Amino acid sequence: MARQQERARRTRAAIIRSAAVEFGKSGYAAASLNRILEGSRATKGAMYFHFDSKEELARAVLETAVERYRATAERWLARTDLGPLDVLHGMIDELALRLEHDIIVQAEYRLIIEPDFYRDVQAGGGRILIRATHSLAQRAVEHGQLREDADPDRFTRTLSAALAGQRYLIDLPGAAADLRGRFQEALEVVVESMSTPEWREKFAVDGWAASARLEELGLGV
């Protein structure tokens, strides 16, 4: 029984992974179930055992992406060896890595900008990161890294918009750029506009204390 359950889990994961590749490449409307099957090496019967429709399969990709966003936020928020702004940098750096290398997160980004799934933006991974960013901004004020008059709401809105804009610009024709570098640049511009002189002086010497590492992300589905 345990072996059958593990086989079923692996089959489901392979189908989700193949679907993420297809949705990321073709979008939802043009995605082909036959190509998803070919990529997963699953049978049609196995696919319909796990998923009733293409929409249900797309929602499974979205849910898997949300789980990864949540894991990213929780892992960085749990760091007690770093100050709030370094935690924020690490979390955003990991997001950039995932957007560059994680096909599940890439597919989520593609799906939520389509009419069929635009309403899912409100419950997507971005909401998790917005809440985490707001929490870290509040901590940064309390730790004297951001000024006392810095508004965590304003900080979060501005940074979120800057990151979304950088992600969009990467997709423009001929826009070959390093997403991690762009995200770090956006973070630094927003942070430096609201940070304390003491933090900026220390940052000028030490830089960021932590970054994400691709090998630690566990990018298998």
Side-chain angles (χ1 to χ4, degrees), residues 20-76:
V21 172
E22 177 65 10
F23 291 137
K25 181 186 302 181
S26 305
Y28 177 72
S32 164
L33 289 177
N34 286 334
R35 287 195 294 267
I36 291 172
L37 281 174
E38 289 173 6
S40 67
R41 297 185 179 180
T43 65
K44 184 174 291 188
M47 186 181 73
Y48 283 109
F49 173 80
H50 291 284
F51 306 103
D52 291 335
S53 63
K54 185 166 74 169
E55 180 179 349
E56 186 174 331
L57 184 50
R59 296 201 178 281
V61 172
L62 292 173
E63 290 168 6
T64 304
V66 168
E67 291 170 4
R68 296 190 177 187
Y69 277 99
R70 184 176 294 111
T72 292
E74 290 178 352
R75 179 166 54 255
W76 285 100

Side-chain angles (χ1 to χ4, degrees), residues 8-19 40 50-51 104 221:
R9 186 197 69 78
R10 289 179 179 273
T11 298
R12 185 177 190 277
I15 295 170
I16 291 174
R17 181 180 179 84
S18 181
S40 67
H50 291 284
F51 306 103
I104 297 292
V221 175

Side-chain angles (χ1 to χ4, degrees), residues 70-79 94 98 216-217:
R70 184 176 294 111
T72 292
E74 290 178 352
R75 179 166 54 255
W76 285 100
L77 288 172
R79 293 284 297 265
E94 179 168 326
R98 287 194 177 280
E216 294 176 348
L217 300 190

